[in-house]
Amino acid sequence: MHFGALAALLFSFQDLPTTGTAPINSSDAIWLWIALGVGVLALAAALILAKAVLSADAGTAEMRVISDAIREGAEAFLARQYKTIGLLALVLAVVVFAGYHLSPRTAPYALKTVISFLVGAVCSGLAGFTGMYVSIRANIRTASAARSSLNKALQTALRGGAVTGLVVIALSLIGVGVLFLCFGGLTDPQGVPYQLVGFGFGASLVALFAQLGGGIYTKAADVGADLVGKVEAGIPEDDPRNPAVIADLVGDNVGDCAGRGADIFESTAAENVGAMILGVALFPVFGIKGILFPLIVHAINLIASIIGVAVVKTNDTEDPMSALNRGFYVTSALALGGFAFAVHAMLNGDGVAWGWLLSCGVVGMITAFLFVWITQYYTESKYRPVQSIAEASLTGPATNIISGLAVGMETPALPVIVISAALLLSYYFGVRGLAGVHIAGIADYAKGIYGTAIATMGMLSSAAYILAMDTFGPITDNAGGIIEMSNQPDEVRNKTDKLDSAGNTTKALTKGYAVGSASLAAFLLFSAYLEEIKSIVTARVNDAHAAGIPAFMPAGWSFTNINLAEIPVFVGALLGAMLTYLFSSLAIKAVGRTAQMVVKDVRDQFRENPGIMEGTSKPDYARCVSIVTGAALKEMVLPGVLAVGLPVAVGLIFRHLSSSYGSGSEGLTGVPSHLVPTINGVAVNLSGASAVAGLLMVGTISGVLLAMLMNNGGGAWDNAKKFIETGAHGGKKSDAHKAAVVGDTVGDPFKDTAGPSLHVLIKLLATITLVLAPLFL
Amino acid sequence: MHFGALAALLFSFQDLPTTGTAPINSSDAIWLWIALGVGVLALAAALILAKAVLSADAGTAEMRVISDAIREGAEAFLARQYKTIGLLALVLAVVVFAGYHLSPRTAPYALKTVISFLVGAVCSGLAGFTGMYVSIRANIRTASAARSSLNKALQTALRGGAVTGLVVIALSLIGVGVLFLCFGGLTDPQGVPYQLVGFGFGASLVALFAQLGGGIYTKAADVGADLVGKVEAGIPEDDPRNPAVIADLVGDNVGDCAGRGADIFESTAAENVGAMILGVALFPVFGIKGILFPLIVHAINLIASIIGVAVVKTNDTEDPMSALNRGFYVTSALALGGFAFAVHAMLNGDGVAWGWLLSCGVVGMITAFLFVWITQYYTESKYRPVQSIAEASLTGPATNIISGLAVGMETPALPVIVISAALLLSYYFGVRGLAGVHIAGIADYAKGIYGTAIATMGMLSSAAYILAMDTFGPITDNAGGIIEMSNQPDEVRNKTDKLDSAGNTTKALTKGYAVGSASLAAFLLFSAYLEEIKSIVTARVNDAHAAGIPAFMPAGWSFTNINLAEIPVFVGALLGAMLTYLFSSLAIKAVGRTAQMVVKDVRDQFRENPGIMEGTSKPDYARCVSIVTGAALKEMVLPGVLAVGLPVAVGLIFRHLSSSYGSGSEGLTGVPSHLVPTINGVAVNLSGASAVAGLLMVGTISGVLLAMLMNNGGGAWDNAKKFIETGAHGGKKSDAHKAAVVGDTVGDPFKDTAGPSLHVLIKLLATITLVLAPLFL
C-alpha cells in the first residue's frame, strides 16, 4: 500500500515549477559527452594496467600454490556474497516496482526507479569484483617482482591497485552520466537529478553489505588465526601450518580491497547525485553546466590519477612511502589545475566571481590534506599518541587499553574543528563568489550551500589515486604472506616488508580520507534531502491547486523545521545516535562469534590431523575459508537489516503517529498552522520527514565521531605494538609487548570492521532517506 | 564588554507581556510555604538521623585509627577542593557582576543574578559537605554495628546515606523556594522563574568540579593501589601495608558520595527551575500553582523518602538488597499517592483532565523503574551480557575487552527506546489532559511539553531515597575496609561483605537512574532554553517598539529554527558531540596520570622504608592522600574549563561571525527575512543562539549515549570479574580471572570518572546556556 507513495517522488518532480528562466544551452551538452568520454578512456587505461600486471611473471610453483588458494577463497567468498546481496537487491527492486504499480499516477515511473537502483547496485558490484579480480592476481606478481627489484614490485602493486581506483570512479561517473542522459537530463536537467537518487541507494546497499561482510570476514580470520596460532600453538603469523592462514590472507582482499572500493564508490555516487541536486537550485545562474560540474570534476580526477600512478617509481634504498607521496602530489597538482579550468569554464556567468568558487575547491583539497595529516599524527609511532600507548603498555594490558581508548576519544577533536572551519569557509566563499548574482529565489543560503558542495568535490578530486594507494595495501600484505609462506630468502622478505609497512600507512590514511569526505558530503546530502522534501511538498500543493482543491503554500516556505525541541526530531535524533552504537556493537560481536568458529575449526584440524603441526601434512585451508565465508555472510544480515529498516520504520511510524497528537502539524511540532503548507485546510504532515531528518543528521554526527574513535584508536594500538616490536620498552617478547598485543587485537574489529562499516552506514542513511522521502510525507 | 549583554536577561523579563489574564490568587501562596516547611522539616529529620548515627558505638581503637585516617583524608580533600571551586565561582561572580554594571539598563539586576548563582553554588557545596561529614563517620559505626547484628549495620549505613539524600533534596527545594520568595515570585510569578537560572548554573558548576575531582581521585587511588599493590607487591586489596589503601577508601567518599550528591542536587535544581519556566507558559491555566508544583513534588519526595528509610529493617539471613528494595517500594507508593494528591489539588482548572496529567507522572515513575531494570540486566551476573564477558575472558584479556565494549555499545538501545516512548506518551497525555483548555497562545505543543515536564518530576519523585541507597554504597564499602584492616573475625566480615555487595548494586542502579533522569530532564531544559530565547527576543522587539524604533515580530513566531542543515547549528552540533568525547578523553587521561603518581609514591615508600612490607612499620598514608589530592584537583581544571568555555565560545563566535555572511539572518540560516523578527529593519541575529542550541542538544544526546556505554560497560566488566571469582570459568587465580581483572581495571575510570562526569556535563550545558542566553543574541 505505502509503496505507492514511493512513486510520488518521480512523479512530483515532473510538475516542478522551473525556478529560473535560463534557457538550456544545447552546446553545454558537450560537457556530458566529455565526462563520459573520459570515463570510457579511464576504463581503457584500467584494462591496459590490468593486462600489464597480469602479464608480469607469476612466480614459482610454490608461490602459485599459495596465491591460487587465496584467489579461490576470495572468489568463492565474493561469489557467495554477491549472490546474497543480489537476492536482497532483487527483492527490494520487486517490492518497489510493485509498489509503484499500486497507483496509476506513479506506475509510469516504476521502471526508471528500479533501473536506477539496479544500475547503481550492479556498477558497485562490478567495480568491487574487477578491482579484486586484479588485486588477487597482482599479489603473487608483486611477490615475484620483489625477487628482482623493489621498484618493479612497487609499480606492480600500485598499478594493480590503480585498476580498482580507476574502475570505481569511472563506473560511478559513467553510471550517473548515462542514466542522466537516458532519463532525458539534457532536456529536463532540473528534474532528472532527483531521479538518480536510486543510483546512490543501490550503491549504498551493496557497499553496506560488502563492507560489513568483508569486514567481519577479514577480522574474524585475523583474530581467529592469531588466537589459535600465535597464542595457543605458538607458531608465527603467516605460518603455513596454521589452517586459518589462507583465510586471513583472503580477508585482506575482501575487506580492505572490495570493501573500501564499495565505500568510495558509494561516496562518489552519493556526492555526484547530491551535488547535481544542489546544482538544480542554481540552474538560473549556471544552466546545465552547474549540474554537470560534478561529473567533470571526476573526469579530471581520473586523468590526474592516471598520470599520478604513471610517474611513481623508486629505487632500492628509498622509503616506498616517499614514492607514493610523490605520485599523490602530482595527482593533487593536476587535479587543482583541472579544477581551476573547470570552474572557470563551467561555473561562470553574470555576477559570478569564479575565483571565490575555486577557493571552495581549494578548501576541500586542504581539508583532505589535513585529515590525512591528523590521521598520521594519531596513528604513527613518532608522535605523542602512539608513544603514550606504548608507554602505558609497560604497566600491563589494562593501562594499554585505557590509554588507547583515551587516545581514540581524543581523535575527533581536530577533525571536527577542521570540518567546521571547512564548512564555514566554503560557505563564505560560496556566498562571496555569487554575491553579484541577483535572481529571485536564489538566497545567500543556496549560494553558501553550493560552496560547501564545491568543497566536497575538491576533497574527492583525487579519490582515484587515494583508492589506488589503498588497494596497494592488501596487495603488498598478500605479497608478504606469499613470500613468507614460500620460504623466500630474507633479502626478498625485507623488500616486501618495506612495501607492507607503506601499505599499512596508506590503508590508515584512506580511512581518514574516507571519514573526512563522508562528513563533508553529509552536509551536502542533508541539504539535498531538505531540498527534496521542499520540492515534493511544493509539487503536491501545486497539484492540489491545479485540481481545484484549496491549497496554501506560505510565502518563502522551505523545509527547515528540523527542530530538535520537537518530539519527532528529538526521538529521531536519539534513535539515529543509538543506531550507530547498536550497529557497531552488532558488527563487533559478529567478528567475535565468527572468530570463535575459526578457533574451533583450527583446533579440530590440529586434533584430527596431528601431521599438520609436525609439517608432514597440509592443513585443509579451504575448509576454514568456507566456514568463515558462511559465518561472515550470515552475520552481516542483522546489522545490515537494522541499518536499512530503522530509518524506514521511524519515518512510517511518525507519519502515522502524528495524527493522534492534537491538532494537525501543531500537535507534535509547535509550528503555527499559518506557517505550514496546507491542502484542503489540513496541514501537510511533516512529522515523519522531520523525524527521519533528525535520525539522519544526528546519526551522521554520532557515526562520524564513533568511526574516528574506532579507526584511529585501532590504528594507534596497532602501531604502538609495532613500535615496541622495533625494540622500544623491551621489544618483542617483553611484558610490554604482550600488553600491546592485547591492544592490537582489541583494535582490529574497531578499525577494520565497525569503523569502516560506519562510514558506509552514514551514507546509506542519506541515500535511503533520499529515495524513500515520499513515503514519509 | 559582552558581559553587559548578560544582564539583558533579567532586564528583559521585567517587560514581558503577560501571556494570560488569570489573576494571581494570593491564597495559592500557601503551597510555597508548605514546600518550604517540609524542606525545613526534612533538614530537621536529617539532623535527627545524623545524631542517631553519630551517637552509635564508634568501634575499637584499632578501627578508629583507620576511620580517622579516612576522615582526615576526605576532609582535607574536600577543604582544598572547595577552596579551588570557591575561587573559580568567585571569579565568575565578579565577572558577571562587573559585566552587568557596564550598562545602566542591566546594573539593577547584577546583584540578583550574582546572589542566585552564589546561593546555588553554596547550597550544592553545603549539601555535599554535610552528606560526607556524616558518611565518613557512619562508616566506622556501620563496621562496629556489624559486630553485633546485620540489621543494625544496615540501618546505620542507610540512615547515614539518608542524611545526604534529605539534605540534597531539601537544600535544593529551600534554595529555589527562598529565592523565588525573595525575588518577589508571589507578585511576579511569570518573571521570577527566569531569574532563578543562576541557581541551576551555580549548582552545575560545583557539581562538575565535585564529580570530576572526586571521580579522578577515587579511580586514580583505586587503580594506583591495585597496580602497585595487587600486581607488583602481590598483597591483597585493602591490605594495611599498602600506603595507598587509605587514599582508596577516601576516594569512595569523595567520588561516590560527594560527587553523586552534587550530581543529583544539580538534577533537581535544574529540573525545578526548568519546570517552573514551563509552568509560566501555562500560567493562564494553573496560575501560580503550576509554577510551584515542582517544589511540592519534592516536598512529597522528602516525606515519602523519610518514611521509606524508617521502615527498612532486616534479619541476619535475608539479602540486604531485599530490605532496601522494600524501602524503595514504600517510598514509591507514597510518592505516587502524594503525586496524585498534588496533581488533583494543584493542576486543576477549567477543561483540565487531571487524570491524564497524573498519568504523565506515572510514565516518569515507570521510566525510572525500567531504567533501573535495564541497568540490572546489563550489569548483573545472572544475565546474558555479563555472562558473555565472563565467557570471553576464557580466551584472554583481548576478547574480554572486545566483548565488554560490544556490551557497552549495545546498552543505549533499550534506554533510548524507553526514553522515546516516555516522551511520546507523556507528551500525548499532556495534550489529552489539557485538551479542554482553549486559551489563545496555549498551543498543543505547550501542553505536550508540560506533560513531559510532569513525567520528569515523576521520575525524580523518589530521588531522596535513591540517593540514600547510593550513599549507602561508600559507607558499607568503607565499613568493609575498616573491618578488613582491623583484623575482625570472619563472621563480621561476612556481614559487611553482604552489605558491600548490596552497596555495589545500589551504586550501579543510581547511575542508571541519574542518566535516565538527565536524559528526560534534558528535553525539559531544551524547551526552557527555547522559551527563554523567544522571551528575550520578544522583549527586545517590544522595547524597540516602545522606544519608537520600527520593529517587527512575525505572527506566531517562536524560536524553532534549530535546523541542523544550517551551518551554525550543524557546526554547533558537531562541536557539542565532539566535546563529550574530548571531555571523556581528558577525564580518563587524568585518572591515568594521577594513578601513575600513586604508583610512584607507593614504590618510593616501599623502597625508603622496607619495614612496611615486613609489617614492622606503618606506611605514610597521609603522604599518599596528599599527593592524590593535589594531582586530582590539578587535573580537574582542564576538562572543567573546556566544558564551561566551549559553549560560551561557540555562542560568541557565531554571534559575531554571522554579520560576515551575506544579508542578515538569511546569510547563514536560509530563513526568509519576513519570517524573522526585525529591529530597525535588521533581522535579529539568531546565529549564536542557534549554534549554542545545536551544541546543547546534540552534545546532550551524544553525552547520554557515551555515559551509558561507560557506566554499563564498566559495571558489566566489574561484575564479570566478580562472577568468575565465585568459581565460574576456573575461579580466582585462573587465566580467565586475570583477563577479567584487566576488563575491570579498564572499566574503572569509565564507570566512576568519565561516565558520571558526563551526566553533570550534560546538565551544565543546559544551565550555562540558560544563564548566558542573552550573550548569544
Side-chain angles (χ1 to χ4, degrees):
Chain A
M1 242 286 296
H2 291 123
F3 291 101
L6 195 63
L9 171 60
L10 292 184
F11 181 83
S12 56
F13 293 114
Q14 299 300 109
D15 308 315
L16 261 185
T18 307
T19 47
T21 51
I24 300 170
N25 187 337
S26 63
S27 71
D28 288 343
I30 186 75
W31 294 106
L32 180 59
W33 295 109
I34 290 175
L36 289 175
V38 172
V40 173
L41 221 72
L43 285 185
L47 195 69
I48 294 168
L49 281 176
K51 280 210 165 165
V53 169
L54 294 180
S55 68
D57 177 62
T60 65
E62 204 179 357
M63 287 159 73
R64 271 201 298 278
V65 171
I66 301 150
S67 154
D68 286 352
I70 299 174
R71 189 168 48 71
E72 280 161 25
E75 284 177 350
F77 176 78
L78 222 61
R80 282 176 66 178
Q81 187 184 36
Y82 281 0
K83 218 164 77 186
T84 310
I85 300 177
L87 268 173
L88 232 94
L90 278 181
V91 169
L92 264 175
V94 168
V95 167
V96 169
F97 190 78
Y100 270 58
H101 276 92
L102 288 179
S103 155
R105 281 179 72 192
T106 53
Y109 305 97
L111 207 62
K112 264 189 189 173
T113 308
V114 171
I115 288 174
S116 170
F117 171 73
L118 288 178
V119 169
V122 169
C123 282
S124 174
L126 204 61
F129 176 79
T130 322
M132 222 186 64
Y133 181 89
V134 175
S135 70
I136 53 184
R137 286 166 176 84
N139 54 11
I140 186 165
R141 287 158 177 92
T142 301
S144 174
R147 293 182 306 164
S148 54
S149 101
L150 184 68
N151 181 45
K152 258 177 79 181
L154 173 82
Q155 288 187 335
T156 308
L158 183 64
R159 286 167 189 188
V163 175
T164 302
L166 295 177
V167 169
V168 160
I169 307 295
L171 279 183
S172 160
L173 168 58
I174 294 173
V176 172
V178 167
L179 284 176
F180 183 79
L181 192 66
C182 295
F183 287 180
L186 290 176
T187 51
D188 179 20
Q190 291 174 270
V192 170
Y194 290 98
Q195 299 173 15
L196 303 179
V197 292
F199 185 84
F201 182 41
S204 301
L205 193 82
V206 173
L208 183 75
F209 287 101
Q211 184 70 67
L212 262 177
I216 295 169
Y217 188 112
T218 180
K219 286 304 122 174
D222 187 2
V223 171
D226 282 2
L227 279 179
V228 79
K230 278 200 255 183
V231 181
E232 282 187 24
I235 52 179
E237 200 168 336
D238 286 347
D239 189 297
R241 286 172 295 177
N242 190 335
V245 70
I246 294 291
D248 188 6
L249 291 167
V250 168
D252 294 330
N253 290 295
V254 300
D256 291 340
C257 175
R260 194 92 62 257
D263 181 355
I264 303 279
F265 183 88
E266 184 194 20
S267 277
T268 52
E271 174 243 12
N272 270 333
V273 174
M276 286 170 103
I277 288 177
L278 293 185
V280 170
L282 291 178
F283 187 78
V285 185
F286 301 127
I288 199 169
K289 285 184 291 188
I291 295 166
L292 294 176
F293 182 70
L295 301 181
I296 290 297
V297 170
H298 282 298
I300 292 164
N301 176 353
L302 288 167
I303 297 170
S305 300
I306 291 171
I307 299 172
V309 168
V311 301
V312 171
K313 69 172 167 210
T314 187
N315 54 45
D316 280 7
T317 55
E318 192 192 33
D319 176 3
M321 203 56 223
S322 310
L324 292 174
N325 278 337
R326 271 199 304 279
F328 181 55
Y329 298 144
V330 169
T331 305
S332 300
L334 290 172
L336 177 61
F339 208 92
F341 163 77
V343 170
H344 179 66
M346 299 179 78
L347 301 186
N348 229 325
D350 281 351
V352 178
W354 69 275
W356 286 110
L357 300 184
L358 174 59
S359 307
C360 298
V362 173
V363 166
M365 293 177 192
I366 293 173
T367 304
F369 271 103
L370 288 177
F371 261 80
V372 165
W373 183 83
I374 293 168
T375 310
Q376 284 184 288
Y377 174 73
Y378 277 107
T379 55
E380 286 195 1
S381 57
K382 57 184 160 193
Y383 301 107
R384 174 191 56 82
V386 172
Q387 296 270 353
S388 72
I389 298 175
E391 213 181 296
S393 308
L394 284 170
T395 37
T399 42
N400 167 289
I401 299 290
I402 291 175
S403 166
L405 287 170
V407 165
M409 284 196 265
E410 182 192 318
T411 55
L414 287 178
V416 161
I417 292 169
V418 168
I419 282 287
S420 301
L423 285 173
L424 283 169
L425 280 176
S426 57
Y427 189 98
Y428 177 67
F429 293 160
V431 170
R432 289 295 299 263
L434 299 169
V437 172
H438 302 287
I439 297 175
I442 298 187
D444 280 341
Y445 182 70
K447 298 171 184 174
I449 293 291
Y450 199 69
T452 66
I454 298 175
T456 310
M457 294 183 242
M459 183 155 190
L460 282 167
S461 68
S462 48
Y465 188 87
I466 296 268
L467 202 46
M469 287 213 297
D470 183 58
T471 312
F472 172 89
I475 294 175
T476 55
D477 190 327
N478 270 225
I482 292 170
I483 293 290
E484 163 92 26
M485 290 176 67
S486 60
N487 305 309
Q488 299 292 321
D490 275 2
E491 179 220 6
V492 178
R493 233 201 124 173
N494 283 343
K495 284 185 199 149
T496 52
D497 276 358
K498 274 168 99 173
L499 291 177
D500 192 13
S501 156
N504 278 329
T505 306
T506 61
K507 277 192 284 185
L509 300 187
T510 316
K511 268 176 259 173
Y513 178 81
V515 77
S517 63
S519 44
L520 201 54
F523 194 73
L524 173 109
L525 293 167
F526 296 165
S527 311
Y529 174 75
L530 300 185
E531 276 295 311
E532 187 180 336
I533 297 285
K534 178 184 166 186
S535 300
I536 298 173
V537 172
T538 309
R540 290 201 183 167
V541 169
N542 287 349
D543 281 1
H545 200 71
I549 301 165
F552 164 69
M553 176 60 85
W557 183 82
S558 60
F559 182 56
T560 54
N561 59 335
I562 315 304
N563 176 7
L564 277 163
E566 286 170 14
I567 296 274
V569 179
F570 185 71
V571 169
L574 267 175
L575 290 171
M578 177 272 263
L579 171 64
T580 62
Y581 281 72
L582 186 57
F583 178 85
S584 304
S585 173
L586 291 173
I588 290 171
K589 278 192 276 193
V591 172
R593 272 193 300 266
T594 310
Q596 290 301 331
M597 300 188 67
V598 175
V599 169
K600 194 180 161 301
D601 181 62
V602 171
R603 282 186 191 148
D604 286 352
Q605 290 208 27
F606 282 156
R607 201 185 52 242
E608 290 162 16
N609 184 355
I612 295 175
M613 277 301 281
E614 291 153 19
T616 55
S617 73
K618 285 261 161 206
D620 188 349
Y621 299 128
R623 189 173 110 183
C624 192
V625 166
S626 163
I627 285 173
V628 191
T629 301
L633 292 180
K634 203 181 117 228
E635 294 283 354
M636 78 182 182
V637 173
L638 181 60
V641 167
L642 175 77
V644 174
L646 190 69
V648 181
V650 166
L652 293 179
I653 289 172
F654 274 95
R655 182 190 149 190
H656 287 282
L657 215 56
S658 185
S659 53
S660 328
Y661 284 75
S663 46
S665 80
E666 264 182 72
L668 269 170
T669 64
V671 180
S673 48
H674 72 276
L675 295 178
V676 176
T678 56
I679 294 177
N680 213 2
V682 177
V684 175
N685 174 357
L686 296 168
S687 292
S690 303
V692 168
L695 183 145
L696 166 63
M697 293 170 180
V698 176
T700 299
I701 292 175
S702 174
V704 165
L705 298 196
L706 257 187
M708 286 177 191
L709 159 64
M710 299 206 204
N711 290 341
N712 294 331
W717 268 316
D718 188 351
N719 283 332
K721 183 197 74 173
K722 291 201 176 113
F723 176 63
I724 291 177
E725 284 173 355
T726 65
H729 303 305
K732 263 191 171 172
K733 314 264 170 207
S734 67
D735 281 348
H737 184 246
K738 274 183 208 142
V741 167
V742 172
D744 181 36
T745 311
V746 170
D748 267 347
F750 268 40
K751 74 179 198 301
D752 290 318
T753 311
S757 296
L758 276 174
H759 308 166
V760 186
L761 172 73
I762 293 165
K763 283 168 281 174
L764 176 87
L765 288 180
T767 58
I768 200 173
T769 49
L770 274 173
V771 167
L772 301 184
L775 262 177
F776 309 142
L777 283 163
Chain B
M1 246 282 298
H2 290 122
F3 292 101
L6 193 64
L9 171 60
L10 293 186
F11 183 82
S12 56
F13 291 113
Q14 299 300 108
D15 309 314
L16 260 186
T18 307
T19 47
T21 50
I24 299 170
N25 187 338
S26 63
S27 72
D28 288 343
I30 186 75
W31 294 108
L32 179 59
W33 295 109
I34 291 176
L36 289 175
V38 172
V40 172
L41 220 71
L43 284 186
L47 195 71
I48 294 168
L49 281 176
K51 280 208 165 163
V53 169
L54 294 180
S55 68
D57 175 64
T60 66
E62 205 180 356
M63 287 159 75
R64 271 201 299 277
V65 170
I66 301 150
S67 156
D68 286 352
I70 298 174
R71 191 169 46 72
E72 279 161 26
E75 284 177 349
F77 176 79
L78 222 62
R80 282 176 66 178
Q81 187 185 36
Y82 280 178
K83 217 164 77 183
T84 310
I85 299 177
L87 268 173
L88 231 93
L90 277 181
V91 169
L92 264 175
V94 168
V95 168
V96 169
F97 190 79
Y100 269 58
H101 276 92
L102 287 178
S103 154
R105 280 181 74 192
T106 53
Y109 305 97
L111 207 62
K112 264 190 189 173
T113 309
V114 170
I115 287 172
S116 169
F117 170 74
L118 288 178
V119 169
V122 169
C123 283
S124 173
L126 203 62
F129 175 79
T130 323
M132 222 186 66
Y133 180 91
V134 175
S135 71
I136 52 183
R137 286 166 175 83
N139 53 13
I140 186 164
R141 287 156 178 93
T142 302
S144 174
R147 292 181 306 164
S148 55
S149 103
L150 184 68
N151 180 45
K152 257 178 79 181
L154 173 83
Q155 289 187 335
T156 308
L158 183 64
R159 286 167 188 188
V163 175
T164 302
L166 295 178
V167 170
V168 160
I169 306 295
L171 279 184
S172 159
L173 168 58
I174 294 174
V176 172
V178 168
L179 283 177
F180 183 81
L181 191 67
C182 296
F183 287 180
L186 290 176
T187 51
D188 179 20
Q190 291 174 272
V192 170
Y194 289 98
Q195 298 172 16
L196 303 179
V197 293
F199 186 82
F201 182 42
S204 300
L205 192 82
V206 173
L208 183 76
F209 287 101
Q211 183 69 69
L212 261 177
I216 294 169
Y217 188 111
T218 180
K219 285 305 123 173
D222 187 2
V223 170
D226 281 2
L227 279 179
V228 79
K230 277 202 255 184
V231 181
E232 281 186 27
I235 51 180
E237 202 168 334
D238 287 346
D239 189 296
R241 286 172 296 177
N242 191 336
V245 70
I246 294 291
D248 188 5
L249 291 168
V250 168
D252 292 329
N253 290 296
V254 300
D256 290 340
C257 173
R260 193 94 60 257
D263 182 354
I264 303 280
F265 183 86
E266 183 193 21
S267 276
T268 50
E271 174 243 13
N272 270 334
V273 175
M276 286 170 105
I277 288 177
L278 293 184
V280 171
L282 291 178
F283 187 78
V285 184
F286 301 127
I288 200 169
K289 285 185 289 187
I291 295 166
L292 295 176
F293 181 70
L295 300 181
I296 291 296
V297 170
H298 283 298
I300 292 164
N301 176 353
L302 287 167
I303 297 170
S305 300
I306 291 170
I307 299 172
V309 168
V311 301
V312 171
K313 67 171 167 214
T314 187
N315 54 45
D316 280 8
T317 55
E318 191 191 34
D319 177 2
M321 203 57 224
S322 311
L324 291 174
N325 278 337
R326 270 199 305 278
F328 181 55
Y329 298 143
V330 169
T331 305
S332 301
L334 290 172
L336 177 61
F339 208 94
F341 162 77
V343 169
H344 179 67
M346 299 179 78
L347 302 185
N348 230 326
D350 277 354
V352 177
W354 70 276
W356 286 109
L357 300 183
L358 174 59
S359 307
C360 298
V362 173
V363 165
M365 293 176 192
I366 293 174
T367 304
F369 271 102
L370 288 176
F371 261 80
V372 165
W373 183 83
I374 293 168
T375 309
Q376 283 184 288
Y377 174 73
Y378 277 107
T379 54
E380 285 194 2
S381 57
K382 57 184 159 192
Y383 301 108
R384 175 191 56 84
V386 172
Q387 295 271 353
S388 72
I389 297 175
E391 212 181 298
S393 309
L394 284 170
T395 37
T399 42
N400 167 287
I401 299 291
I402 291 175
S403 168
L405 287 170
V407 165
M409 284 196 264
E410 184 192 317
T411 54
L414 287 178
V416 161
I417 292 168
V418 168
I419 282 287
S420 301
L423 285 173
L424 283 168
L425 281 177
S426 56
Y427 189 99
Y428 178 67
F429 294 160
V431 170
R432 289 296 298 266
L434 299 170
V437 173
H438 302 288
I439 297 177
I442 299 187
D444 280 342
Y445 182 70
K447 299 172 184 174
I449 293 292
Y450 199 70
T452 66
I454 298 175
T456 309
M457 293 182 243
M459 183 155 189
L460 283 167
S461 67
S462 49
Y465 188 87
I466 296 267
L467 202 47
M469 286 213 297
D470 182 59
T471 311
F472 173 87
I475 294 175
T476 55
D477 190 327
N478 270 226
I482 292 169
I483 294 289
E484 163 90 26
M485 290 176 67
S486 60
N487 305 310
Q488 299 293 320
D490 274 2
E491 179 219 5
V492 179
R493 235 202 122 172
N494 282 344
K495 284 186 200 146
T496 52
D497 276 358
K498 271 167 105 174
L499 291 177
D500 192 14
S501 156
N504 278 330
T505 305
T506 61
K507 276 193 285 185
L509 300 187
T510 315
K511 269 177 258 173
Y513 178 82
V515 76
S517 63
S519 44
L520 201 54
F523 194 74
L524 173 110
L525 293 168
F526 296 166
S527 311
Y529 174 75
L530 300 184
E531 276 295 313
E532 184 178 339
I533 297 285
K534 178 183 164 185
S535 301
I536 297 174
V537 172
T538 308
R540 289 200 185 168
V541 169
N542 288 349
D543 282 359
H545 200 71
I549 302 165
F552 164 69
M553 177 62 82
W557 183 82
S558 62
F559 183 56
T560 54
N561 59 336
I562 314 304
N563 176 6
L564 276 162
E566 286 170 14
I567 296 275
V569 180
F570 186 71
V571 169
L574 266 175
L575 291 171
M578 177 273 261
L579 171 63
T580 61
Y581 281 73
L582 187 56
F583 178 84
S584 305
S585 172
L586 290 174
I588 290 170
K589 278 192 278 193
V591 172
R593 271 193 300 266
T594 310
Q596 287 304 330
M597 299 186 68
V598 174
V599 169
K600 194 181 161 300
D601 180 61
V602 172
R603 281 187 193 147
D604 287 351
Q605 290 207 28
F606 282 156
R607 204 186 47 243
E608 290 162 14
N609 183 355
I612 296 175
M613 276 302 281
E614 289 155 20
T616 55
S617 72
K618 284 262 164 208
D620 187 350
Y621 299 127
R623 188 172 112 183
C624 194
V625 166
S626 161
I627 286 172
V628 192
T629 301
L633 292 180
K634 202 182 118 226
E635 294 284 352
M636 80 181 181
V637 175
L638 181 60
V641 168
L642 176 78
V644 175
L646 190 69
V648 181
V650 166
L652 293 179
I653 289 172
F654 274 94
R655 179 189 151 191
H656 287 282
L657 216 55
S658 186
S659 54
S660 330
Y661 282 74
S663 46
S665 84
E666 266 183 69
L668 269 170
T669 64
V671 180
S673 48
H674 72 277
L675 294 178
V676 176
T678 56
I679 295 178
N680 211 2
V682 177
V684 175
N685 175 358
L686 296 169
S687 292
S690 304
V692 169
L695 182 144
L696 166 64
M697 293 169 180
V698 175
T700 299
I701 292 176
S702 175
V704 165
L705 298 196
L706 258 186
M708 287 177 190
L709 159 64
M710 298 206 206
N711 290 343
N712 294 331
W717 267 315
D718 188 351
N719 282 334
K721 183 197 72 171
K722 291 199 176 115
F723 177 62
I724 291 178
E725 285 173 355
T726 64
H729 304 306
K732 262 192 170 170
K733 313 264 172 206
S734 68
D735 281 347
H737 184 246
K738 276 182 206 142
V741 167
V742 172
D744 180 36
T745 311
V746 170
D748 268 348
F750 268 41
K751 72 178 198 303
D752 290 319
T753 311
S757 298
L758 276 174
H759 307 166
V760 186
L761 173 73
I762 294 164
K763 283 167 280 172
L764 176 85
L765 288 180
T767 56
I768 199 173
T769 48
L770 274 174
V771 167
L772 300 184
L775 260 179
F776 310 142
L777 282 164

